[in-house]
Amino acid sequence: VQLQASGGGLVQPGGSLTLSCAVSGFPVDDDAIGWFRQAPGKEREAVSYISTAGSSSLYYHDSVKGRFTISRDRSKNAILLRMDSLKPEDTAVYYCARARGLLGRRWVLEDMYDAWGQGTLVTVSS
């Protein structure tokens, strides 16, 4: 099982980026995936979550609701995180992780994930 996050970069405030979490070792339809981020000097926090294809549950941190969209790209066996209206406070290293089953409200808990990708850095600055 491997997850690989990519797509980070430098973007101006108000801009957009799409992160990709490429999955290998299992079909992206079959497992729930979460996105987390860690800003400099802060603890890692949960950003978004997508359940299995059969459950279709989506969750977002309050600070990104209406700006971020999580989705599944079956052609690439990947989970995407579309980020619009980016703010300087969105600057962080972003990680994706595979959940231990369907999490519901526990989606924010790091211990509920058993495989992590390396991070991709997103910098929002003018």
Side-chain angles (χ1 to χ4, degrees):
V1 173
Q2 283 191 323
L3 299 93
Q4 185 169 359
S6 62
L10 174 63
V11 62
Q12 292 187 342
S16 299
L17 278 177
T18 297
L19 305 184
S20 175
C21 177
V23 168
S24 60
F26 61 95
V28 73
D29 276 358
D30 292 356
D31 282 284
I33 300 292
W35 279 98
F36 290 74
R37 67 186 180 187
Q38 187 166 22
K42 295 188 177 180
E43 294 187 352
R44 190 157 56 185
E45 66 178 4
V47 175
S48 186
Y49 166 95
I50 184 168
S51 65
T52 59
S55 177
S56 300
S57 295
L58 306 176
Y59 297 108
Y60 298 94
H61 189 281
D62 285 347
S63 66
V64 307
K65 282 181 181 177
R67 300 189 297 120
F68 289 14
T69 304
I70 193 169
S71 63
R72 184 177 282 109
D73 185 340
R74 292 180 178 86
S75 68
K76 298 180 180 179
N77 209 46
I79 298 296
L80 307 180
L81 185 67
R82 168 76 178 186
M83 306 186 296
D84 295 314
S85 302
L86 282 162
K87 305 175 181 179
E89 51 263 43
D90 294 318
T91 295
V93 177
Y94 284 72
Y95 302 87
C96 59
R98 185 182 71 170
R100 302 176 192 268
L102 297 178
L103 302 184
R105 292 182 179 181
R106 296 172 298 168
W107 73 275
V108 299
L109 302 176
E110 290 187 37
D111 288 348
M112 301 308 297
Y113 295 82
D114 63 0
W116 291 78
Q118 89 294 352
T120 185
L121 176 62
V122 173
T123 303
V124 185
S125 175
S126 55

